[in-house]
Amino acid sequence: MKAGGISVLVALLLIFFYLLLMVLPVFSSANIERVSSVPAQSSNTSTSHSNKPIAAGVDDYGQLGYFLMESGDLAFIDLTDGRIVQSQSISTNALSYSGMPASLGWHAFVSGNEGISAVKPSFSVQFNDQGRIITPRVDTASYEIPNGIVNQSQVVSHFTFAIDDENATFAILNESNQLFSWRENDGEPSQSTSFGTVENIIDIKMTPDGQQLFILTPQEMVVMAWGQGQGFSVREVVDVTQGGDKRALSMSLLAGAQSVLIQYTDNTVAQWFDVLKDRIRTLTYIRDFELSGNAELLLPEFYRKGFYAFDNKGQIESFYTTSEEKTFSAPLLQEDVKIAAVSSNEDSLLVVSHSRIDVYSVDNEYPEISLSALWQSVWYEGYPEPQFVWQSTSGSDDFEAKFSLVPIAFGTLKAAFFAMIFAVPIAVLGAVYTAYFMSTPMRKVVKPAIEIMEALPTVIIGFLAGLWLAPVVEAHLPSTLALVILLPLSTIIIGWLWHLLPSKWLSEVPNGLHGLILVPALLLVTFGIISFSHEVELFLFGGDVRVYLADIGIDYDQRNALVVGLAMGFAVIPTIFTISEDAIFSVPKHLSDGSLALGATKWQTLIYVVLLTASPGIFSAVMMGLGRAVGETMIVLMATGNTPIMDWNIFEGMRSLSATIAIEMPESDVGSSHYRLLFLAALILFVFTFFVNSLAEWVRQRLRDKYRAL
């Protein structure tokens, strides 16, 4: 093997291993390690006395944490030495506590004499010459409780709330199992609603927008919706046991509060969320997760769609709902967990047990990635059924990333398929005519002209396709479709009519120049089709073919697969034509002469001798064209709507792997799941083109060996 060949192989291997190196981390396992531990007694957060913690939080660096006590006190504690940095009283005579999802940060206490006291602890990070300084920050708010709901002698069984920029909504279950709810707007209580007795309530949760209230019992979930001027009313009652013997134990709201996690007696956790069925939203079971033991606590992640489970065997388990994966499981706990918290960057985990406060470092950067999430349909929040979806970004921090590669892989194949349908017949048949029938002087003009087409920048072709060809096709859709069908038929008919002409006339045309006669005839056919396009559209489609397509359920996008097929087919034709023409022209002259001498016609010689001998080269040409079409970027990028949909409709667009890389790579965070998946898309393209080229070479060699004896 020559040095040039070796250098090419080395370059290919380097590219492959670099792409592989960038992709492999997304399939690595998560890791959780203890980084610090302090006694709970030293920080006055011991659970052995009445002032035990009921909620906690931790900063992104695992250095400072806050603890809300059952007594209504708030304390910020240095997690490296257990020292109390700051403390204050939030509520006295607290009757009940509730907290909103961690990403919103609000906590609240119900007091018989103070109403509702809400607090939002957070951390402020600054950097100076001495390094990083983390300081506590506390926001507070207070709200009145309407008369007759709570007094100092009553016990509040359950309490939940939602605070946003406009309203504050509250729901309280008193000791008589009566449920009350009300909403405050601009500091004034309004829309107070009371319900009858609700038995065996395990927990109540409210969505952060205050629009839904979930009431969990061992067997049922009561879903209530807030109505303007009406307060909460029952929307539906759902059997959470799904007809089985298991019973519900607890529930939590997943980040974003679109999903409810329900823990059961059979050591499973199920995810439920609203699904639109017949224009009615219904709380629906989606999937469940097997726990190693009886979980003492479920902890949803801060922004991501995952959760932790802490069981009675000392096991910490991490699950991710979208990928349906258990990302981590290890026996790290020495005592039962009382409360836990995760930092906003998901890198620190705070665990409070009976006598210790432990901080764990979490290395779990890519929980949303799994083979099933990439290549199988996934039931995403808010979707009516499992689907293949690529949606990598959103304006919300608690957005559920949708990283299915199926739509963009499908778009790649769709674009290549329509391009090859357009390019292969024209390129191969053109190569056959040029190499076998065309005169030498004419071939010397035609072949270089087509080869020059390959030098056209694809960005120019894509630009013209998107800004000129797409509007033209839309404005003349019937004539465009007619041209695709009628031009090949016209060519055959004109050729048949040509052979009906008297031999005397045919002999006047120099051999090999018959194709020139076809050009004005095809131009005349094209002019006729375009001229009568409007009349045909008016007669067959009522004047507007796009409206007709919409009426029969076919969507039409201006930048669609038809435009891509025409534009990318135009770009691929020179590659297929050049290689095919060289293969056909290189067939030894003595083979065709011998066939003709034995009495075969020119067409018989072409089909049974020339094409068979040239078939390895023609196959290689088609495979090279396919590889070019699959890897094409700019034409697909500029000539389609770049919507990652899965539909073979030729009048709709698509998004390809290469276009996705070009669009999203500049905006992706280096090292993120999105960033590495774009490298995975590049690796898929690399492997596919390498496989296609290798297959083409293997088939070429087999065919070459088979027909070598000719």
Side-chain angles (χ1 to χ4, degrees):
M1 185 180 291
K2 295 183 179 180
I6 295 176
S7 62
V8 170
L9 287 178
V10 170
L12 289 175
L13 287 174
L14 288 175
I15 293 172
F16 174 77
F17 283 112
Y18 173 74
L19 294 175
L20 191 64
L21 187 66
M22 297 299 294
V23 168
L24 282 179
V26 302
F27 300 106
S28 60
S29 301
N31 186 44
I32 300 178
E33 295 181 352
R34 184 186 289 111
V35 294
S36 67
S37 180
V38 296
Q41 288 84 354
S42 66
S43 57
N44 198 31
T45 59
S46 172
T47 60
S48 60
H49 51 76
S50 60
N51 197 27
K52 64 181 181 181
I54 54 176
V58 60
D59 75 280
D60 289 345
Y61 304 96
Q63 296 180 358
L64 190 65
Y66 69 79
F67 298 84
L68 282 165
M69 310 302 176
E70 194 175 53
S71 61
D73 295 331
L74 169 66
F76 285 87
I77 296 174
D78 189 324
L79 299 175
T80 60
D81 56 17
R83 177 175 49 89
I84 297 178
V85 176
Q86 177 180 316
S87 64
Q88 67 184 81
S89 177
I90 304 301
S91 174
T92 60
N93 191 27
L95 301 177
S96 185
Y97 159 83
S98 181
M100 292 183 68
S103 59
L104 300 171
W106 282 102
H107 306 264
F109 293 93
V110 177
S111 173
N113 54 1
E114 296 178 348
I116 295 176
S117 301
V119 60
K120 184 179 182 180
S122 58
F123 308 95
S124 175
V125 181
Q126 296 178 336
F127 295 88
N128 56 23
D129 295 338
Q130 284 72 39
R132 181 175 60 237
I133 299 176
I134 304 174
T135 56
R137 177 181 174 181
V138 179
D139 297 319
T140 59
S142 59
Y143 303 92
E144 297 180 3
I145 300 177
N147 294 330
I149 295 180
V150 174
N151 57 52
Q152 294 185 13
S153 62
Q154 286 183 318
V155 174
V156 176
S157 300
H158 296 282
F159 162 58
T160 186
F161 71 101
I163 297 175
D164 58 24
D165 295 335
E166 298 180 356
N167 302 302
T169 309
F170 305 93
I172 286 179
L173 183 73
N174 65 17
E175 61 181 348
S176 302
N177 277 340
Q178 290 181 310
L179 190 64
F180 298 88
S181 68
W182 72 97
R183 173 167 291 178
E184 284 203 10
N185 192 337
D186 297 327
E188 294 295 328
S190 62
Q191 297 176 332
S192 176
T193 307
S194 63
F195 306 94
T197 301
V198 184
E199 300 292 341
N200 300 322
I201 292 180
I202 296 174
D203 198 2
I204 61 175
K205 296 288 184 183
M206 189 181 298
T207 55
D209 59 3
Q211 296 301 310
Q212 289 191 88
L213 181 66
F214 300 102
I215 304 175
L216 180 66
T217 69
Q219 294 178 290
E220 294 179 334
M221 174 80 81
V222 181
V223 183
M224 294 186 170
W226 184 274
Q228 189 64 32
Q230 300 175 354
F232 281 112
S233 59
V234 176
R235 191 190 77 182
E236 61 178 319
V237 179
V238 180
D239 179 10
V240 295
T241 67
Q242 303 174 66
D245 296 330
K246 61 184 179 181
R247 296 292 181 265
L249 293 175
S250 66
M251 72 170 168
S252 303
L253 295 180
L254 203 61
Q258 294 190 49
S259 291
V260 180
L261 298 176
I262 301 179
Q263 180 187 355
Y264 293 96
T265 53
D266 62 350
N267 295 335
T268 60
V269 174
Q271 180 186 9
W272 297 68
F273 57 70
D274 280 350
V275 172
L276 192 63
K277 297 178 180 178
D278 299 326
R279 299 185 179 181
I280 299 175
R281 292 199 172 274
T282 304
L283 189 66
T284 305
Y285 163 80
I286 304 301
R287 57 179 68 93
D288 57 26
F289 303 88
E290 293 284 344
L291 305 180
S292 298
N294 182 24
E296 301 285 344
L297 176 68
L298 293 183
L299 174 66
E301 292 193 2
F302 207 91
Y303 288 122
R304 300 188 306 201
K305 304 298 181 179
F307 65 94
Y308 293 92
F310 305 87
D311 67 23
N312 55 2
K313 299 178 181 178
Q315 199 90 357
I316 297 180
E317 295 180 303
S318 174
F319 299 87
Y320 204 83
T321 57
T322 305
S323 60
E324 302 185 39
E325 290 285 309
K326 179 188 289 188
T327 59
F328 179 82
S329 179
L332 300 179
L333 305 174
Q334 299 175 351
E335 298 177 341
D336 291 347
V337 175
K338 302 304 179 184
I339 57 172
V342 64
S343 61
S344 62
N345 61 1
E346 321 286 356
D347 288 343
S348 296
L349 179 65
L350 175 67
V351 178
V352 180
S353 57
H354 179 75
S355 61
R356 304 200 62 81
I357 301 174
D358 296 322
V359 178
Y360 294 85
S361 173
V362 180
D363 181 12
N364 189 17
E365 295 187 60
Y366 316 106
E368 62 271 64
I369 307 301
S370 67
L371 290 177
S372 61
L374 293 177
W375 299 109
Q376 296 179 11
S377 59
V378 177
W379 204 337
Y380 299 104
E381 289 181 340
Y383 281 66
E385 60 186 7
Q387 295 183 16
F388 299 102
V389 182
W390 173 271
Q391 185 183 355
S392 56
T393 57
S394 172
S396 172
D397 288 332
D398 50 32
F399 161 71
E400 183 179 23
K402 303 167 182 65
F403 286 135
S404 175
L405 292 177
V406 175
I408 53 179
F410 175 86
T412 301
L413 297 178
K414 179 181 177 180
F417 173 75
F418 286 113
M420 296 300 285
I421 285 180
F422 176 74
V424 170
I426 295 176
V428 173
L429 295 178
V432 169
Y433 182 81
T434 304
Y436 192 69
F437 293 104
M438 189 175 287
S439 64
T440 301
M442 191 173 180
R443 178 178 178 272
K444 290 181 179 179
V445 175
V446 171
K447 190 171 187 293
I450 295 179
E451 289 175 344
I452 288 175
M453 288 170 51
E454 196 163 12
L456 286 174
T458 55
V459 66
I460 300 299
I461 299 175
F463 178 80
L464 292 175
L467 296 185
W468 172 75
L469 181 61
V472 169
V473 170
E474 183 182 27
H476 303 89
L477 184 58
S479 58
T480 302
L481 296 176
L483 285 172
V484 172
I485 299 172
L486 295 181
L487 276 183
L489 291 177
S490 301
T491 304
I492 296 173
I493 293 172
I494 293 171
W496 176 70
L497 293 175
W498 174 262
H499 284 284
L500 295 180
L501 295 176
S503 301
K504 182 179 179 180
W505 294 6
L506 298 178
S507 61
E508 296 295 328
V509 180
N511 189 32
L513 296 180
H514 305 87
L516 291 177
I517 306 298
L518 189 63
V519 173
L522 292 180
L523 290 176
L524 184 63
V525 171
T526 302
F527 177 77
I529 291 174
I530 295 176
S531 299
F532 291 98
S533 172
H534 179 69
E535 287 73 13
V536 172
E537 185 175 15
L538 189 64
F539 177 73
L540 295 179
F541 307 110
D544 194 332
V545 68
R546 290 167 298 174
V547 174
Y548 174 81
L549 291 174
D551 290 340
I552 62 176
I554 299 177
D555 295 328
Y556 183 89
D557 297 330
Q558 186 186 73
R559 300 184 181 186
N560 52 48
L562 176 61
V563 175
V564 171
L566 295 174
M568 193 154 66
F570 178 82
V572 170
I573 282 175
T575 301
I576 302 176
F577 172 86
T578 301
I579 300 175
S580 298
E581 201 275 344
D582 287 340
I584 297 170
F585 191 77
S586 299
V587 173
K589 188 71 173 172
H590 67 269
L591 293 179
S592 56
D593 289 344
S595 174
L596 294 172
L598 292 173
T601 65
K602 253 195 162 185
W603 278 102
Q604 289 173 329
T605 301
L606 172 66
I607 295 172
Y608 296 107
V609 177
V610 176
L611 290 183
L612 285 179
T613 308
S615 58
I618 296 174
F619 182 81
S620 296
V622 174
M623 290 295 101
M624 290 289 288
L626 177 61
R628 167 77 187 277
V630 167
E632 178 56 48
T633 302
M634 296 311 299
I635 295 176
V636 182
L637 178 65
M638 304 178 74
T640 71
N642 287 301
T643 305
I645 57 176
M646 294 183 61
D647 195 328
W648 281 108
N649 181 6
I650 195 173
F651 301 123
E652 286 191 318
M654 78 292 289
R655 172 177 282 196
S656 68
L657 289 165
S658 56
T660 300
I661 296 171
I663 293 171
E664 300 186 10
M665 183 62 81
E667 300 179 359
S668 63
D669 294 332
V670 176
S672 65
S673 299
H674 181 210
Y675 179 81
R676 295 193 182 277
L677 282 182
L678 294 178
F679 274 92
L680 177 58
L683 180 62
I684 292 171
L685 283 174
F686 180 86
V687 171
F688 181 84
T689 53
F690 182 81
F691 172 78
V692 167
N693 291 334
S694 300
L695 177 64
E697 180 62 21
W698 180 78
V699 173
R700 187 184 72 84
Q701 289 292 346
R702 293 291 300 271
L703 292 175
R704 188 175 182 180
D705 294 340
K706 181 177 181 180
Y707 298 115
R708 181 174 293 172
L710 292 177

